[in-house]
Amino acid sequence: MKAKHQRLTLALLAVVALVGAGLLAAYALQDQASYFYTPSDIAQQQPEAGAAIRLGGMVEEGSIQRSADGVTVQFIVQDAGARQKVTYTGITPDLFVEGSGVVADGRLDANGMFVAETLLAKHDENYIPRELEGIDMTSGKHKTETLVQ
């Protein structure tokens, strides 16, 4: 076998190995991947019940209801066009309040209720930690002397 044929054979084997690895990775991620939906997306085209999805939106004002067990919370996630009922059992994040952003991983049940498995609260882009409130970010100097000791 000539050297040219050996290189061609090795190149073909490398291509087959890469395609095989890609297919295996895609197959492994098939059950783990979750798509991001807004309430409007769910209203327009409801995903299959039981499929893992990620829901994002704002917690509707006055919608948080805590159950008697103390760990189950029901609330409504909304965006500009739709609302989605959500139930979550567990400890809610500190930033989880009405009117705040939320991202929840979970699944829709047969009744259209989103059952969250994990819950992440988001703050807006204007958030500044309390420790950094007095610092002028453009110059790096403190506007107030409260943080300087």
Side-chain angles (χ1 to χ4, degrees):
M1 185 180 265
K2 294 182 178 179
K4 182 178 179 181
H5 290 119
Q6 288 178 343
R7 286 192 302 261
L8 181 62
T9 303
L10 288 174
L12 288 175
L13 287 174
V15 168
V16 169
L18 286 174
V19 169
L23 290 174
L24 285 174
Y27 180 75
L29 288 175
Q30 188 176 15
D31 292 335
Q32 301 298 321
S34 62
Y35 297 101
F36 185 81
Y37 284 85
T38 62
S40 294
D41 293 336
I42 292 175
Q44 290 174 357
Q45 184 176 2
Q46 189 166 1
E48 182 177 314
I53 63 171
R54 179 172 282 185
L55 172 67
M58 302 297 288
V59 178
E60 186 176 274
E61 295 284 340
S63 68
I64 296 177
Q65 298 175 348
R66 297 193 184 272
S67 298
D69 63 3
V71 292
T72 302
V73 179
Q74 292 187 346
F75 57 96
I76 295 174
V77 175
Q78 66 177 8
D79 62 2
R83 305 164 68 223
Q84 175 63 48
K85 290 183 178 179
V86 178
T87 184
Y88 173 71
T89 301
I91 299 172
T92 58
D94 291 339
L95 295 174
F96 179 75
V97 293
E98 295 171 350
S100 69
V102 67
V103 175
D105 288 324
R107 303 169 195 283
L108 285 175
D109 67 8
N111 299 325
M113 171 77 80
F114 185 81
V115 180
E117 297 165 356
T118 61
L119 195 62
L120 301 171
K122 295 174 35 178
H123 51 75
D124 65 2
E125 63 276 359
N126 297 322
Y127 171 75
I128 297 175
R130 188 179 319 161
E131 295 83 11
L132 300 178
E133 283 180 348
I135 297 176
D136 181 9
M137 294 298 186
T138 56
S139 67
K141 296 180 180 176
H142 294 270
K143 290 180 182 174
T144 62
E145 298 297 323
T146 57
L147 296 177
V148 178
Q149 296 180 9

